[in-house]
Amino acid sequence: MWFLHIVQNLCLLLFVFNLYLSYEFVREIRTCGIEEAVEAHKAGKRKLYGYSLCVMYMLSLIQFILMLLFPMAIAVISAAPGSLYPHILSVTVLNTLLPGILSILIGFTSAMRMKRIKAYALMAFMIFIMLPASDFIPGIANDSYHINIWPVK
């Protein structure tokens, strides 16, 4: 069961994928001119963006199911104890489904509120904060400038 952590390492890639895809998906809707066409319908703009969120949430749900199937199959094949199954489910929900939903909301909001350069800068900052290399920054700041930002990180 030691190799199940390999599946969890994909979570950062899924977060980045969902963040970028949701931003580009909503930005393309805004720039293609379809907003003007759907404003003629009752609650058309709200339905357009609501359906686009539903499409992105379905993608996140499919990713969650796929990321859940592999560890569950390994647990069944290796005859793991029954107490491991809720743990696998909760870890997969916390590492795959919730970050997927969060990245879709961040991408959607940044596409609606920000220009392209600011949104890409926000995405790059969020990706950097999630990388293990960002753990070195508080130590460098504390050693060089005596600024303790470990509680923030």
Side-chain angles (χ1 to χ4, degrees), residues 3-146:
F3 49 85
L4 288 178
H5 73 280
I6 296 170
V7 173
Q8 299 307 321
N9 290 336
L10 293 173
C11 296
L12 177 64
L13 293 174
L14 289 176
F15 182 85
V16 171
F17 175 74
N18 286 337
L19 182 67
Y20 178 75
L21 191 67
S22 65
Y23 171 76
E24 287 296 328
F25 188 65
V26 174
R27 190 188 67 79
E28 189 62 33
I29 289 173
R30 289 190 58 138
T31 59
C32 75
I34 198 167
E35 277 185 335
E36 186 177 339
V38 297
E39 282 180 355
H41 300 288
K42 182 180 178 184
K45 199 171 178 181
R46 183 177 48 187
K47 287 180 183 178
L48 174 71
Y49 290 120
Y51 292 148
S52 67
L53 273 177
C54 285
V55 167
M56 295 303 299
Y57 287 151
M58 285 295 136
L59 177 65
S60 182
L61 185 64
I62 290 169
Q63 290 170 351
F64 165 71
I65 291 170
L66 290 176
M67 294 289 280
L68 183 64
L69 284 178
F70 180 66
M72 285 291 193
I74 291 174
V76 168
I77 290 170
S78 64
S83 63
L84 186 63
Y85 297 112
H87 176 70
I88 291 173
L89 178 66
S90 63
V91 165
T92 309
V93 166
L94 288 174
N95 289 340
T96 306
L97 186 63
L98 294 180
I101 291 171
L102 181 67
S103 65
I104 289 169
L105 285 176
I106 291 170
F108 181 84
T109 305
S110 62
M112 296 295 284
R113 302 284 180 198
M114 295 180 179
K115 298 288 185 190
R116 192 172 207 169
I117 300 295
K118 288 181 183 178
Y120 281 149
L122 175 69
M123 285 189 262
F125 177 72
M126 291 188 64
I127 292 167
F128 177 72
I129 291 298
M130 292 183 69
L131 289 176
S134 68
D135 290 339
F136 294 121
I137 292 175
I140 293 169
N142 192 18
D143 292 342
S144 302
Y145 304 107
H146 305 292

